[in-house]
Structure formats: structure tokens, C-alpha cells
Coordinates of all heavy atoms in Angstrom, one line a residue:
M1455 N 118.7 108.2 86.0 CA 117.6 107.4 86.5 C 118.0 106.0 86.8 O 118.8 105.4 86.1 CB 116.5 107.4 85.4 CG 115.6 108.7 85.4 SD 114.1 108.5 84.5 CE 114.6 108.9 82.9
K1456 N 117.4 105.4 87.8 CA 117.7 104.1 88.2 C 116.7 103.1 87.7 O 115.5 103.4 87.8 CB 117.7 104.1 89.8 CG 118.0 102.7 90.4 CD 117.9 102.9 91.9 CE 117.9 101.5 92.6 NZ 117.8 101.7 94.0
V1457 N 117.1 102.0 87.1 CA 116.2 101.0 86.6 C 115.7 100.1 87.7 O 116.4 99.5 88.5 CB 116.9 100.1 85.5 CG1 116.0 99.0 85.1 CG2 117.4 100.9 84.4
L1458 N 114.3 100.1 87.8 CA 113.7 99.3 88.8 C 113.0 98.0 88.2 O 113.0 97.0 88.8 CB 112.6 100.1 89.6 CG 113.1 101.2 90.5 CD1 111.9 101.9 91.1 CD2 114.0 100.7 91.6
A1459 N 112.2 98.3 87.2 CA 111.4 97.2 86.5 C 110.5 96.5 87.5 O 110.5 95.3 87.6 CB 112.3 96.3 85.7
Q1460 N 109.8 97.3 88.3 CA 108.9 96.8 89.3 C 107.4 96.9 88.9 O 107.0 97.9 88.5 CB 109.1 97.6 90.6 CG 108.3 97.1 91.8 CD 108.8 97.8 93.1 OE1 109.6 98.6 93.1 NE2 108.1 97.4 94.1
P1461 N 106.7 95.8 89.1 CA 105.2 95.9 88.8 C 104.5 96.9 89.7 O 104.9 97.0 90.9 CB 104.7 94.5 89.0 CG 105.9 93.6 89.3 CD 107.1 94.5 89.6
I1462 N 103.5 97.6 89.2 CA 102.8 98.6 89.9 C 101.3 98.4 89.7 O 100.9 97.8 88.7 CB 103.2 100.0 89.6 CG1 103.1 100.3 88.1 CG2 104.6 100.3 90.1 CD1 103.4 101.7 87.7
E1463 N 100.5 99.0 90.6 CA 99.0 99.0 90.4 C 98.7 100.4 89.9 O 99.1 101.4 90.4 CB 98.3 98.8 91.8 CG 98.6 97.5 92.4 CD 97.9 97.4 93.8 OE1 97.2 98.3 94.2 OE2 98.2 96.3 94.4
M1464 N 98.0 100.4 88.7 CA 97.8 101.7 88.0 C 96.3 102.0 87.9 O 95.4 101.2 87.8 CB 98.3 101.6 86.6 CG 98.1 102.8 85.7 SD 99.0 104.3 86.2 CE 100.6 103.8 85.9
V1465 N 96.0 103.3 88.0 CA 94.7 103.9 87.7 C 94.8 104.7 86.4 O 95.7 105.6 86.4 CB 94.1 104.8 88.8 CG1 92.8 105.4 88.4 CG2 93.9 104.0 90.1
S1466 N 94.1 104.3 85.4 CA 94.2 105.0 84.1 C 92.8 105.1 83.5 O 91.9 104.5 84.0 CB 95.1 104.2 83.2 OG 94.6 102.9 82.9
Y1467 N 92.7 105.8 82.4 CA 91.5 105.9 81.7 C 91.8 105.7 80.2 O 92.9 106.0 79.7 CB 90.7 107.2 81.9 CG 91.2 108.4 81.3 CD1 90.8 108.8 80.0 CD2 92.2 109.2 82.0 CE1 91.3 110.0 79.5 CE2 92.6 110.3 81.4 CZ 92.2 110.7 80.1 OH 92.7 111.9 79.6
T1468 N 90.8 105.2 79.5 CA 91.0 105.0 78.0 C 90.0 105.9 77.3 O 88.8 105.9 77.6 CB 90.7 103.5 77.7 OG1 91.5 102.7 78.5 CG2 90.9 103.2 76.2
D1469 N 90.5 106.7 76.4 CA 89.6 107.6 75.7 C 88.8 106.9 74.6 O 89.0 105.7 74.4 CB 90.4 108.8 75.1 CG 91.5 108.4 74.1 OD1 91.4 107.3 73.5 OD2 92.4 109.2 73.9
N1470 N 88.0 107.6 73.9 CA 87.1 106.9 72.9 C 87.8 106.5 71.6 O 87.3 105.8 70.8 CB 85.9 107.9 72.5 CG 86.4 109.2 71.9 OD1 87.6 109.4 71.8 ND2 85.4 110.0 71.5
K1471 N 89.1 106.8 71.5 CA 89.9 106.3 70.4 C 90.8 105.2 70.8 O 91.6 104.7 70.0 CB 90.8 107.5 69.8 CG 89.9 108.6 69.2 CD 90.7 109.7 68.7 CE 89.8 110.8 68.2 NZ 90.5 112.0 67.9
G1472 N 90.8 104.8 72.1 CA 91.6 103.6 72.5 C 92.9 104.0 73.2 O 93.7 103.2 73.6
G1473 N 93.2 105.3 73.3 CA 94.4 105.7 73.9 C 94.3 105.6 75.4 O 93.3 105.9 76.1
I1474 N 95.4 105.0 76.0 CA 95.5 104.8 77.5 C 96.2 106.0 78.1 O 97.3 106.3 77.7 CB 96.2 103.5 77.8 CG1 95.4 102.3 77.1 CG2 96.3 103.2 79.3 CD1 96.2 101.0 77.1
N1475 N 95.6 106.5 79.2 CA 96.2 107.7 79.9 C 96.4 107.4 81.3 O 95.4 107.2 82.0 CB 95.3 108.9 79.7 CG 95.1 109.2 78.2 OD1 96.1 109.7 77.6 ND2 93.9 109.0 77.7
P1476 N 97.6 107.3 81.9 CA 97.8 107.0 83.3 C 97.5 108.2 84.2 O 97.7 109.3 83.8 CB 99.3 106.6 83.4 CG 99.9 107.3 82.2 CD 98.9 107.4 81.1
I1477 N 96.9 107.9 85.3 CA 96.5 109.0 86.3 C 97.4 108.9 87.5 O 98.0 109.9 87.9 CB 95.0 108.9 86.6 CG1 94.2 109.1 85.4 CG2 94.7 109.9 87.7 CD1 92.7 108.8 85.6
R1478 N 97.4 107.8 88.2 CA 98.2 107.6 89.4 C 98.5 106.1 89.6 O 97.8 105.2 89.0 CB 97.5 108.2 90.6 CG 96.2 107.5 91.0 CD 95.6 108.1 92.3 NE 94.4 107.5 92.6 CZ 93.2 108.0 92.2 NH1 93.1 109.0 91.4 NH2 92.1 107.4 92.5
F1479 N 99.5 105.8 90.4 CA 99.8 104.4 90.7 C 100.2 104.2 92.1 O 100.6 105.1 92.8 CB 100.9 103.9 89.7 CG 102.2 104.6 89.8 CD1 103.2 104.1 90.6 CD2 102.5 105.7 89.0 CE1 104.4 104.7 90.7 CE2 103.7 106.3 89.1 CZ 104.7 105.8 89.9
R1480 N 100.2 102.9 92.5 CA 100.6 102.5 93.9 C 101.9 101.7 93.7 O 102.0 100.8 92.9 CB 99.5 101.7 94.6 CG 98.4 102.5 95.0 CD 97.5 101.9 96.0 NE 97.3 100.5 95.9 CZ 96.5 99.8 96.8 NH1 96.0 100.4 97.8 NH2 96.3 98.5 96.6
L1481 N 102.8 102.0 94.7 CA 104.1 101.3 94.6 C 104.5 100.9 96.0 O 104.2 101.6 97.0 CB 105.1 102.4 94.1 CG 106.6 102.0 94.2 CD1 106.9 100.9 93.2 CD2 107.4 103.3 93.8
Q1482 N 105.0 99.7 96.1 CA 105.5 99.2 97.4 C 107.0 98.9 97.3 O 107.3 98.0 96.4 CB 104.7 98.1 98.0 CG 105.2 97.6 99.3 CD 104.3 96.6 100.0 OE1 103.5 96.0 99.3 NE2 104.4 96.4 101.3
V1483 N 107.8 99.5 98.1 CA 109.3 99.2 98.0 C 109.6 98.5 99.3 O 109.4 99.0 100.4 CB 110.1 100.5 97.9 CG1 111.6 100.2 97.9 CG2 109.7 101.3 96.7
D1484 N 110.2 97.3 99.1 CA 110.6 96.4 100.3 C 109.3 96.2 101.2 O 108.3 95.8 100.7 CB 111.8 97.0 101.0 CG 113.0 97.1 100.1 OD1 113.1 96.2 99.2 OD2 113.7 98.1 100.2
N1485 N 109.5 96.5 102.5 CA 108.4 96.3 103.4 C 107.7 97.6 103.8 O 107.0 97.7 104.8 CB 108.9 95.6 104.7 CG 109.3 94.2 104.4 OD1 108.7 93.5 103.5 ND2 110.3 93.6 105.1
D1486 N 108.0 98.7 103.1 CA 107.4 100.0 103.4 C 105.9 99.9 103.0 O 105.5 99.1 102.2 CB 108.1 101.1 102.6 CG 109.6 101.3 103.0 OD1 109.9 100.9 104.1 OD2 110.3 101.8 102.2
P1487 N 105.1 100.8 103.6 CA 103.7 100.9 103.2 C 103.6 101.3 101.7 O 104.5 102.0 101.2 CB 103.1 101.9 104.2 CG 104.2 102.6 104.8 CD 105.4 101.8 104.6
M1488 N 102.4 101.0 101.1 CA 102.1 101.4 99.8 C 102.2 102.9 99.6 O 101.7 103.6 100.5 CB 100.7 100.9 99.3 CG 100.6 99.4 99.2 SD 101.5 98.8 97.8 CE 100.1 98.3 96.8
Q1489 N 102.8 103.4 98.6 CA 102.9 104.8 98.3 C 102.1 105.1 97.0 O 102.3 104.5 96.0 CB 104.3 105.2 98.1 CG 104.5 106.7 97.9 CD 106.0 107.1 97.8 OE1 106.9 106.2 97.7 NE2 106.3 108.4 97.8
V1490 N 101.2 106.1 97.1 CA 100.4 106.5 95.9 C 101.1 107.7 95.3 O 101.4 108.7 96.0 CB 99.0 106.9 96.3 CG1 98.2 107.4 95.1 CG2 98.2 105.7 96.9
I1491 N 101.4 107.6 94.0 CA 102.0 108.7 93.2 C 101.1 109.1 92.1 O 100.7 108.3 91.3 CB 103.4 108.2 92.7 CG1 104.3 107.8 93.8 CG2 104.0 109.2 91.8 CD1 105.6 107.1 93.4
K1492 N 100.8 110.4 92.2 CA 99.9 111.0 91.2 C 100.8 111.5 90.0 O 101.8 112.1 90.2 CB 99.1 112.2 91.7 CG 98.2 112.9 90.7 CD 97.6 114.1 91.4 CE 96.8 114.8 90.4 NZ 97.5 115.6 89.4
I1493 N 100.4 111.1 88.8 CA 101.2 111.5 87.6 C 100.7 113.0 87.2 O 99.6 113.2 86.8 CB 101.0 110.6 86.4 CG1 101.5 109.2 86.9 CG2 101.6 111.1 85.2 CD1 101.2 108.1 85.9
D1494 N 101.7 113.9 87.4 CA 101.4 115.3 87.1 C 101.4 115.6 85.6 O 100.6 116.4 85.2 CB 102.3 116.2 87.9 CG 102.2 116.1 89.4 OD1 101.1 115.9 89.9 OD2 103.2 116.2 90.1
K1495 N 102.3 115.0 84.9 CA 102.5 115.3 83.5 C 103.1 114.2 82.8 O 104.1 113.6 83.2 CB 103.4 116.5 83.4 CG 103.6 117.1 82.0 CD 104.5 118.3 82.0 CE 104.7 118.9 80.7 NZ 105.6 120.0 80.7
V1496 N 102.5 113.8 81.6 CA 103.1 112.8 80.7 C 103.9 113.6 79.7 O 103.3 114.4 78.9 CB 102.0 112.0 80.0 CG1 102.6 111.1 79.0 CG2 101.2 111.2 81.0
I1497 N 105.2 113.4 79.7 CA 106.1 114.2 78.8 C 106.1 113.6 77.4 O 105.9 114.4 76.4 CB 107.5 114.3 79.4 CG1 107.4 115.0 80.8 CG2 108.4 115.0 78.5 CD1 108.6 114.9 81.6
T1498 N 106.3 112.3 77.3 CA 106.3 111.7 76.0 C 105.6 110.3 76.1 O 105.5 109.7 77.2 CB 107.7 111.4 75.4 OG1 108.4 110.5 76.3 CG2 108.5 112.7 75.2
K1499 N 105.1 109.8 75.0 CA 104.5 108.5 74.9 C 105.0 107.9 73.6 O 105.0 108.5 72.6 CB 103.0 108.7 74.9 CG 102.2 107.4 74.7 CD 100.7 107.7 74.6 CE 99.9 106.5 74.3 NZ 98.5 106.8 74.2
G1500 N 105.4 106.6 73.7 CA 105.9 105.9 72.5 C 105.7 104.5 72.7 O 105.2 104.0 73.7
V1501 N 106.1 103.7 71.6 CA 105.9 102.3 71.6 C 107.3 101.7 71.4 O 108.1 102.2 70.6 CB 105.0 101.9 70.4 CG1 104.8 100.4 70.3 CG2 103.6 102.5 70.6
E1502 N 107.6 100.6 72.1 CA 108.8 99.9 71.9 C 108.5 98.4 71.9 O 107.5 97.9 72.5 CB 109.9 100.2 72.9 CG 109.7 99.7 74.3 CD 110.8 100.0 75.2 OE1 111.5 101.0 75.1 OE2 111.0 99.2 76.2
K1503 N 109.4 97.6 71.3 CA 109.3 96.2 71.3 C 110.5 95.6 72.1 O 111.6 95.9 71.8 CB 109.4 95.7 69.9 CG 108.9 94.3 69.7 CD 108.8 93.9 68.2 CE 108.0 92.6 68.0 NZ 107.9 92.3 66.6
F1504 N 110.2 94.9 73.2 CA 111.2 94.3 74.1 C 111.0 92.8 74.2 O 110.0 92.4 74.6 CB 111.1 95.0 75.4 CG 112.1 94.5 76.4 CD1 113.4 94.9 76.3 CD2 111.8 93.7 77.5 CE1 114.4 94.4 77.2 CE2 112.7 93.2 78.4 CZ 114.0 93.6 78.2
E1505 N 112.0 92.1 73.7 CA 111.9 90.6 73.7 C 110.6 90.1 73.0 O 110.0 89.1 73.5 CB 112.1 90.0 75.1 CG 113.4 90.3 75.7 CD 113.6 89.8 77.1 OE1 112.6 89.2 77.6 OE2 114.6 89.9 77.7
G1506 N 110.2 90.7 72.0 CA 109.0 90.3 71.3 C 107.7 90.9 71.8 O 106.6 90.6 71.3
N1507 N 107.7 91.6 73.0 CA 106.5 92.1 73.6 C 106.4 93.6 73.2 O 107.4 94.4 73.4 CB 106.6 92.0 75.1 CG 106.6 90.6 75.6 OD1 106.0 89.7 75.0 ND2 107.3 90.3 76.7
I1508 N 105.2 94.0 72.8 CA 105.0 95.4 72.4 C 104.6 96.1 73.7 O 103.7 95.7 74.4 CB 103.9 95.5 71.4 CG1 104.4 94.8 70.1 CG2 103.6 97.0 71.1 CD1 103.4 94.7 69.0
M1509 N 105.3 97.2 74.0 CA 105.0 98.0 75.2 C 104.8 99.5 74.8 O 105.5 100.0 74.0 CB 106.2 97.9 76.2 CG 106.4 96.5 76.7 SD 107.7 96.6 77.9 CE 107.4 95.2 78.8
I1510 N 103.9 100.1 75.6 CA 103.7 101.6 75.5 C 104.5 102.2 76.6 O 104.4 101.8 77.7 CB 102.2 102.0 75.6 CG1 101.4 101.2 74.5 CG2 102.1 103.5 75.5 CD1 99.9 101.4 74.7
V1511 N 105.4 103.1 76.2 CA 106.3 103.7 77.2 C 105.9 105.1 77.4 O 105.7 105.9 76.5 CB 107.8 103.7 76.6 CG1 108.7 104.3 77.6 CG2 108.2 102.2 76.3
Y1512 N 105.7 105.5 78.7 CA 105.4 106.8 79.1 C 106.5 107.4 79.9 O 107.0 106.8 80.9 CB 104.1 106.8 80.0 CG 102.9 106.3 79.3 CD1 102.6 104.9 79.3 CD2 102.0 107.1 78.7 CE1 101.5 104.4 78.8 CE2 100.8 106.6 78.2 CZ 100.6 105.3 78.2 OH 99.4 104.8 77.6
K1513 N 107.0 108.6 79.5 CA 108.0 109.3 80.4 C 107.2 110.4 81.0 O 106.5 111.2 80.4 CB 109.1 109.9 79.5 CG 110.0 108.8 79.0 CD 111.2 109.3 78.2 CE 111.9 108.1 77.7 NZ 113.0 108.5 76.8
C1514 N 107.2 110.4 82.4 CA 106.3 111.2 83.2 C 107.1 112.1 84.2 O 108.3 111.8 84.4 CB 105.3 110.3 83.9 SG 104.4 109.2 82.9
Q1515 N 106.3 113.0 84.8 CA 106.9 113.9 85.8 C 105.9 113.9 87.0 O 104.7 114.0 86.7 CB 107.1 115.2 85.2 CG 107.5 116.3 86.2 CD 107.6 117.6 85.5 OE1 108.4 117.7 84.5 NE2 106.9 118.6 85.9
S1516 N 106.4 113.9 88.2 CA 105.5 114.0 89.4 C 106.3 114.6 90.5 O 107.5 114.6 90.6 CB 105.1 112.6 89.9 OG 104.1 112.0 89.0
L1517 N 105.5 115.1 91.5 CA 106.1 115.7 92.7 C 106.1 114.6 93.7 O 105.0 114.1 94.2 CB 105.2 116.9 93.2 CG 105.8 117.7 94.3 CD1 107.1 118.3 94.0 CD2 104.8 118.7 94.8
I1518 N 107.3 114.0 94.1 CA 107.4 112.9 95.0 C 108.3 113.4 96.2 O 109.4 113.8 96.0 CB 108.0 111.7 94.4 CG1 107.2 111.3 93.1 CG2 108.2 110.6 95.4 CD1 107.8 110.2 92.3
D1519 N 107.7 113.4 97.4 CA 108.4 113.9 98.6 C 108.9 115.3 98.4 O 110.1 115.6 98.7 CB 109.6 112.9 99.0 CG 109.1 111.5 99.3 OD1 107.9 111.4 99.9 OD2 109.8 110.5 99.1
D1520 N 108.1 116.2 97.9 CA 108.4 117.6 97.6 C 109.5 117.8 96.6 O 110.2 118.8 96.7 CB 108.7 118.3 98.9 CG 107.5 118.3 99.9 OD1 106.3 118.4 99.3 OD2 107.6 118.2 101.1
V1521 N 109.8 116.8 95.8 CA 110.8 116.9 94.8 C 110.2 116.5 93.4 O 109.6 115.5 93.3 CB 112.1 116.0 95.1 CG1 113.1 116.1 94.0 CG2 112.7 116.4 96.4
V1522 N 110.4 117.3 92.4 CA 110.0 117.0 91.0 C 110.9 115.9 90.5 O 112.1 116.1 90.4 CB 109.9 118.2 90.1 CG1 109.6 117.8 88.7 CG2 109.0 119.3 90.6
K1523 N 110.3 114.7 90.2 CA 111.0 113.6 89.7 C 110.5 113.2 88.3 O 109.3 113.2 88.0 CB 111.0 112.4 90.6 CG 111.7 112.7 91.9 CD 111.9 111.4 92.7 CE 112.7 111.7 93.9 NZ 113.1 110.5 94.6
L1524 N 111.4 112.7 87.5 CA 111.1 112.1 86.2 C 111.2 110.6 86.3 O 112.0 110.1 87.0 CB 112.1 112.6 85.1 CG 112.1 114.1 84.8 CD1 113.3 114.4 83.8 CD2 110.8 114.5 84.2
F1525 N 110.3 109.9 85.6 CA 110.3 108.5 85.7 C 109.7 107.9 84.4 O 109.1 108.7 83.6 CB 109.5 107.9 86.9 CG 108.1 108.4 87.1 CD1 107.1 107.7 86.5 CD2 107.8 109.6 87.7 CE1 105.8 108.1 86.7 CE2 106.5 110.1 87.9 CZ 105.5 109.3 87.3
E1526 N 109.9 106.6 84.2 CA 109.4 106.0 83.0 C 108.5 104.8 83.4 O 109.0 103.9 84.2 CB 110.6 105.5 82.2 CG 110.2 105.0 80.8 CD 111.5 104.7 80.0 OE1 112.2 105.7 79.6 OE2 111.8 103.5 79.8
I1527 N 107.3 104.7 82.9 CA 106.4 103.6 83.2 C 106.1 102.9 81.8 O 106.1 103.6 80.8 CB 105.1 104.0 83.9 CG1 104.4 105.1 83.2 CG2 105.4 104.3 85.3 CD1 103.1 105.5 83.8
K1528 N 105.9 101.6 81.9 CA 105.6 100.8 80.7 C 104.3 100.0 80.8 O 104.1 99.5 81.9 CB 106.7 99.9 80.3 CG 108.0 100.6 80.0 CD 109.1 99.6 79.6 CE 110.4 100.4 79.2 NZ 111.4 99.5 78.6
Y1529 N 103.5 99.9 79.8 CA 102.3 99.1 79.7 C 102.5 98.0 78.7 O 102.7 98.3 77.5 CB 101.1 100.0 79.4 CG 99.8 99.2 79.2 CD1 99.2 98.7 80.4 CD2 99.3 98.9 78.0 CE1 98.1 98.0 80.3 CE2 98.1 98.2 77.9 CZ 97.5 97.7 79.1 OH 96.3 97.0 79.0
E1530 N 102.6 96.8 79.2 CA 102.7 95.6 78.3 C 101.4 95.2 77.8 O 100.5 94.8 78.5 CB 103.4 94.5 79.1 CG 103.8 93.3 78.2 CD 104.6 92.3 79.0 OE1 104.7 92.4 80.2 OE2 105.0 91.3 78.3
I1531 N 101.2 95.3 76.5 CA 99.9 95.1 75.8 C 99.5 93.7 75.9 O 98.3 93.4 76.2 CB 100.0 95.6 74.4 CG1 100.2 97.1 74.3 CG2 98.7 95.2 73.6 CD1 100.4 97.7 73.0
A1532 N 100.4 92.7 75.7 CA 100.0 91.3 75.7 C 99.4 90.8 77.1 O 98.5 90.0 77.1 CB 101.1 90.4 75.3
T1533 N 100.0 91.3 78.2 CA 99.6 90.9 79.5 C 98.8 91.9 80.3 O 98.3 91.6 81.4 CB 100.9 90.5 80.3 OG1 101.7 91.7 80.5 CG2 101.7 89.4 79.7
C1534 N 98.7 93.1 79.8 CA 97.9 94.2 80.4 C 98.6 94.6 81.8 O 97.9 94.9 82.7 CB 96.5 93.9 80.6 SG 95.6 93.6 79.1
K1535 N 99.9 94.5 81.9 CA 100.6 94.8 83.1 C 101.3 96.2 83.0 O 101.8 96.5 82.0 CB 101.6 93.7 83.5 CG 101.0 92.4 83.9 CD 102.1 91.4 84.2 CE 101.5 90.1 84.6 NZ 102.5 89.1 85.0
W1536 N 101.4 96.9 84.1 CA 102.1 98.1 84.2 C 103.4 97.9 85.0 O 103.4 97.1 86.0 CB 101.3 99.2 85.0 CG 100.1 99.7 84.2 CD1 98.8 99.2 84.2 CD2 100.1 100.8 83.3 NE1 98.1 100.0 83.4 CE2 98.8 101.0 82.8 CE3 101.1 101.7 82.9 CZ2 98.5 102.0 81.9 CZ3 100.8 102.7 82.0 CH2 99.5 102.8 81.5
I1537 N 104.5 98.6 84.6 CA 105.8 98.4 85.2 C 106.4 99.8 85.4 O 106.4 100.6 84.5 CB 106.7 97.6 84.3 CG1 106.1 96.2 84.1 CG2 108.1 97.5 84.9 CD1 106.8 95.4 83.0
L1538 N 106.9 100.1 86.6 CA 107.7 101.2 86.8 C 109.1 100.8 86.4 O 109.7 100.1 87.1 CB 107.7 101.7 88.3 CG 108.6 102.8 88.7 CD1 108.2 104.1 87.9 CD2 108.5 103.1 90.2
Y1539 N 109.5 101.4 85.3 CA 110.8 100.9 84.7 C 112.0 101.7 85.3 O 113.0 101.1 85.7 CB 110.7 101.0 83.2 CG 111.9 100.3 82.6 CD1 112.1 99.0 82.6 CD2 112.9 101.1 81.9 CE1 113.2 98.3 82.0 CE2 114.0 100.5 81.3 CZ 114.1 99.1 81.4 OH 115.2 98.5 80.8
K1540 N 111.9 103.0 85.2 CA 113.0 103.9 85.7 C 112.5 105.0 86.6 O 111.4 105.5 86.4 CB 113.8 104.5 84.5 CG 114.6 103.6 83.7 CD 115.2 104.5 82.6 CE 116.0 103.6 81.6 NZ 116.6 104.4 80.5
I1541 N 113.3 105.4 87.6 CA 112.9 106.5 88.4 C 114.2 107.2 88.9 O 115.2 106.5 89.0 CB 112.0 106.2 89.6 CG1 111.5 107.4 90.2 CG2 112.7 105.3 90.6 CD1 110.3 107.2 91.1

């Protein structure tokens, strides 16, 4: 997997226990048009601390350009930002 660490726009929902579940996100690479990627499956969910920031890490799977791809997205709790970390 290639490390991108690129900010993304996320659509997610929060359940009644406070758990955050990603649904789909928008990504723009260079000057290409925005690409919407639907998250087909969340494989694992964990918490990590990076430079003092607590992040929720999701390892996911999606069908992108007719190929099943694995990727990692992170949610930074302090700033409420989503990041596509690896793909």
C-alpha cells in the first residue's frame, strides 16, 4: 500500500453508542475531478496515538475501477478530520 495522508470528504453515521461508521468519501487527486468511493467493507477498526493525537483507524475494502482495493482511513478525534492514509 502507498502512503498518501490526504484529507478527504467523508459521509458517515454515528450509532446510538457513539461509534462512527464510514459509508463513502470523495477524493481529488491532482487536477482530476472528484471521485466518490463507496466503502464496501470495514475489515478492522482500531485506535492509535500519533504525535499526541488520538485517531480511529479503519482498514477497509472497496471496488475501485473494477478492482478490489484495500485502504486505510483515519479519523482524527481532536480536529474531526478524515484522512485517506494508505491505498
Side-chain angles (χ1 to χ4, degrees):
M1455 281 198 271
K1456 180 180 168 185
V1457 175
L1458 292 179
Q1460 182 172 0
I1462 54 174
E1463 297 176 5
M1464 177 66 71
V1465 174
S1466 64
Y1467 73 91
T1468 306
D1469 61 23
N1470 60 357
K1471 296 178 183 170
I1474 302 170
N1475 302 290
I1477 298 173
R1478 67 179 175 267
F1479 63 92
R1480 287 196 321 178
L1481 169 69
Q1482 184 170 16
V1483 178
D1484 300 323
N1485 292 327
D1486 296 339
M1488 292 287 249
Q1489 182 179 10
V1490 176
I1491 299 172
K1492 180 183 175 287
I1493 298 172
D1494 296 328
K1495 183 178 183 181
V1496 175
I1497 298 168
T1498 62
K1499 178 182 173 183
V1501 177
E1502 76 176 27
K1503 197 171 190 180
F1504 180 72
E1505 296 180 359
N1507 297 327
I1508 299 172
M1509 297 182 155
I1510 303 173
V1511 180
Y1512 299 86
K1513 291 186 181 171
C1514 305
Q1515 172 182 306
S1516 290
L1517 187 64
I1518 303 171
D1519 298 328
D1520 296 325
V1521 177
V1522 175
K1523 292 196 177 185
L1524 297 174
F1525 56 93
E1526 189 173 292
I1527 53 177
K1528 295 184 179 187
Y1529 177 70
E1530 188 174 4
I1531 294 174
T1533 61
C1534 301
K1535 290 183 181 178
W1536 287 92
I1537 298 166
L1538 175 60
Y1539 189 69
K1540 290 181 185 178
I1541 191 161

